[in-house]
Amino acid sequence: MIKDMPSQSVPLLSVAAFSDASSLDALPFFLLGLRQQDLAPEAWELHWCHRGPAEGLQDLLQRFESQTGACLQQQLHCFPAETSMAEMLNPLYDQLQGQALLLLDSTFQPHNSLLKQHLDFQSAQAYSALGVGSSQFHPEQALTLLGLAVQQNQLLFNFYPIEQDYQLSYTATRFHNLSLPRKAWLPIEPGFQSLRFGGWDLGLRCWRAGLRPWPLPLARSCASTLYPLDSLVLNWQNDCQQDLASFLNKHPFPMPSLKLAWPQPDLQLPDLQTLKGLKNTLAQQQHRYCVPIEPGDKQDQFLQQWSQQLAVLWRGLALHSLHNQKPARLRWGFPFPWQGLQNPDPGSLWQVIAAHCPEAQSDLNKSSEPPPHQLAAIQCPEGPFDLRLRQFLALTDHLQPGCLMLMHGQQQPQMQRLAALIQQAYPWFALEQWHESILLCYLGSDAVA
């Protein structure tokens, strides 16, 4: 039996690692990454959350311990194979000692500075924030069409090849390489079966509560196994069948990475045979290496086309999943009429959005609570920064989640400042951005944790 290491001091970081019977082959790589961490052993604790029989994991941990020596403060928590993430994590919260919590998937090998990067980020925060590390494909896939295309549109993993100072989408949140302050913990929603939509739900609720996800490019992890396109497609279809309708019923907002929301009943869905042919074509090309030398060269052009086709496949499969479930409530459509517009002038852009939103308002002063199940849009008024801000603050008590706000003048420093402030401090999210305008969506508001 694995024995818990006695703690000599209170750890600063609690790590929850998830495993199951199918991930045991990848555990040696995960354990090697933990063994090589720069962070001192007494600064962190490890909680294994294992679904399935404990014997396989215990045997592997004992072999690893005998070869390298025991230095980890660790506890093993075993659950039935069908246990949800909520059933594992929510009761575990009271047992954690660290000031911050880090979630890790044991099928990825963590870089030796990953734990320290997360702890340093959380320790430096003046306010609560989520730290999202970078997660790459297996090295053999890193420069393939599949690896590079996913890196561009963020469909599966999070990639940050260089350090960047910006916020992430709420769909960047997943139960791996993710840290948050212990005091800001939000219980995992028990209604979601898949890890993907459970993570997105957590990310969106964190955003509504004032917690923003930020990229940690140097907190790197790497997949221990190859991910063929067929298995990724199958996983995506299963996740959509389990949770996509429930997710959109609970959070009726577009998914930024997929430009996805409820389809209208009369929407012409992509033909299934066409999607199947597209998947087969992409599967045949997925292992092709692609190394663009400069933007716009032949390799880069082919990669951009391939990436767009992959996104079409993902959206098409999701739309069919929604259509087959025949949800009782349909709202919004796909595609949105303003998508694909190239730097439209403010007047024509507002006309497009107003035509799509029957309850569109001309300015903040004329705003009223939009009827249920309808989309409303509001134009931000003219005037100095303080006036715009006061009118914006007076607006939030009268809006339902899903309302849109169109802001013009993004080339002006005061408007850039206002848009940044709204997204940083309030539960609004940028859907689209042009040279002069930005379109924000109201996500609703939750109490700060």
Side-chain angles (χ1 to χ4, degrees):
M1 293 292 293
I2 299 298
K3 296 181 179 180
D4 299 342
M5 285 290 295
S7 175
Q8 301 301 320
S9 59
V10 176
L12 300 175
L13 180 68
S14 295
V15 179
F18 309 106
S19 61
D20 55 36
S22 65
S23 65
L24 292 181
D25 289 343
L27 280 183
F29 298 98
F30 181 71
L31 290 167
L32 179 62
L34 290 183
R35 178 62 179 163
Q36 296 176 337
Q37 289 299 304
D38 293 340
L39 194 61
E42 61 271 14
W44 59 286
E45 62 175 354
L46 177 63
H47 290 265
W48 286 100
C49 298
H50 183 74
R51 288 181 286 197
E55 291 76 12
L57 177 60
Q58 287 180 325
D59 291 344
L60 194 149
L61 292 177
Q62 286 177 339
R63 292 199 303 271
F64 183 85
E65 184 178 280
S66 65
Q67 295 172 6
T68 63
C71 65
L72 299 180
Q73 303 179 51
Q74 59 181 337
Q75 295 185 35
L76 179 58
H77 311 270
C78 290
F79 306 88
E82 65 278 5
T83 305
S84 69
M85 187 65 68
E87 292 171 319
M88 287 192 297
L89 269 181
N90 291 342
L92 178 64
Y93 172 76
D94 292 332
Q95 303 181 41
L96 304 179
Q97 301 183 63
Q99 299 173 9
L101 170 63
L102 171 63
L103 308 179
L104 291 179
D105 182 340
S106 62
T107 62
F108 287 78
Q109 181 175 3
H111 186 268
N112 59 8
S113 66
L114 184 144
L115 267 61
K116 189 174 187 301
Q117 291 291 330
H118 278 281
L119 182 57
D120 288 348
F121 171 78
Q122 294 296 342
S123 300
Q125 290 303 304
Y127 57 90
S128 298
L130 306 178
V132 181
S134 59
S135 304
Q136 287 86 39
F137 275 111
H138 188 278
E140 293 182 19
Q141 287 185 285
L143 296 179
T144 64
L145 281 172
L146 180 61
L148 292 173
V150 170
Q151 175 174 340
Q152 288 189 342
N153 52 32
Q154 302 286 298
L155 290 175
L156 301 171
F157 305 127
N158 299 311
F159 293 82
Y160 314 114
I162 58 176
E163 290 197 45
Q164 303 178 68
D165 183 23
Y166 66 93
Q167 293 174 1
L168 299 173
S169 161
Y170 51 80
T171 54
T173 305
R174 58 191 302 265
F175 293 117
H176 169 63
N177 212 344
L178 174 73
S179 65
L180 69 164
R182 188 175 184 276
K183 64 181 180 181
W185 170 257
L186 292 178
I188 306 299
E189 171 60 49
F192 295 102
Q193 301 178 54
S194 67
L195 302 186
R196 185 193 310 268
F197 286 99
W200 290 0
D201 172 78
L202 175 64
L204 199 147
R205 288 189 296 118
C206 285
W207 191 286
R208 291 170 58 165
L211 312 178
R212 298 291 183 267
W214 289 86
L216 304 182
L218 300 182
R220 302 192 301 269
S221 70
C222 179
S224 304
T225 57
L226 301 177
Y227 282 83
L229 180 62
D230 283 344
S231 65
L232 294 176
V233 167
L234 181 61
N235 291 339
W236 172 241
Q237 288 179 296
N238 291 337
D239 290 348
C240 288
Q241 291 169 4
Q242 290 177 333
D243 291 327
L244 179 55
S246 298
F247 184 90
L248 288 176
N249 262 325
K250 183 177 180 183
H251 307 299
F253 322 119
M255 296 182 190
S257 59
L258 294 172
K259 303 292 191 297
L260 180 65
W262 282 119
Q264 296 294 343
D266 57 351
L267 178 71
Q268 183 65 44
L269 292 172
D271 179 70
L272 278 175
Q273 286 300 115
T274 302
L275 290 177
K276 182 178 179 181
L278 176 58
K279 190 204 76 169
N280 291 337
T281 300
L282 295 176
Q284 292 172 3
Q285 300 171 333
Q286 64 178 314
H287 301 302
R288 170 178 165 178
Y289 282 93
C290 182
V291 185
I293 303 301
E294 58 185 24
D297 64 19
K298 290 184 178 180
Q299 291 283 341
D300 183 59
Q301 292 177 11
F302 188 80
L303 173 62
Q304 299 304 326
Q305 295 173 355
W306 206 90
S307 178
Q308 292 174 5
Q309 291 178 319
L310 183 64
V312 168
L313 175 63
W314 241 245
R315 287 195 295 265
L317 295 174
L319 289 171
H320 271 282
S321 174
L322 284 176
H323 179 74
N324 293 336
Q325 295 182 53
K326 301 185 185 303
R329 183 175 68 173
L330 299 174
R331 41 185 307 175
W332 299 21
F334 172 83
F336 298 111
W338 55 81
Q339 289 176 5
L341 298 178
Q342 299 297 320
N343 294 327
D345 65 87
S348 63
L349 178 58
W350 176 248
Q351 290 179 359
V352 170
I353 294 176
H356 185 67
C357 309
E359 298 299 320
Q361 307 294 323
S362 61
D363 57 55
L364 293 180
N365 292 327
K366 297 181 181 179
S367 65
S368 61
E369 184 175 349
H373 314 309
Q374 293 209 18
L375 180 63
I378 297 164
Q379 263 188 308
C380 196
E382 300 296 329
F385 176 85
D386 290 345
L387 174 62
R388 291 174 185 261
L389 180 57
R390 286 196 300 271
Q391 291 180 323
F392 163 76
L393 293 175
L395 167 71
T396 54
D397 292 336
H398 305 287
L399 296 180
Q400 289 185 349
C403 182
L404 302 181
M405 180 165 63
L406 181 62
M407 300 178 63
H408 299 310
Q410 287 304 294
Q411 70 275 24
Q412 303 171 12
Q414 67 166 358
M415 289 305 297
Q416 295 177 5
R417 176 187 169 199
L418 180 60
L421 175 64
I422 289 174
Q423 295 179 76
Q424 175 63 44
Y426 304 96
W428 290 75
F429 188 85
L431 294 181
E432 301 283 347
Q433 188 159 3
W434 300 270
H435 176 67
E436 293 187 60
S437 308
I438 184 171
L439 185 62
L440 303 175
C441 177
Y442 181 57
L443 304 181
S445 182
D446 291 335
V448 177

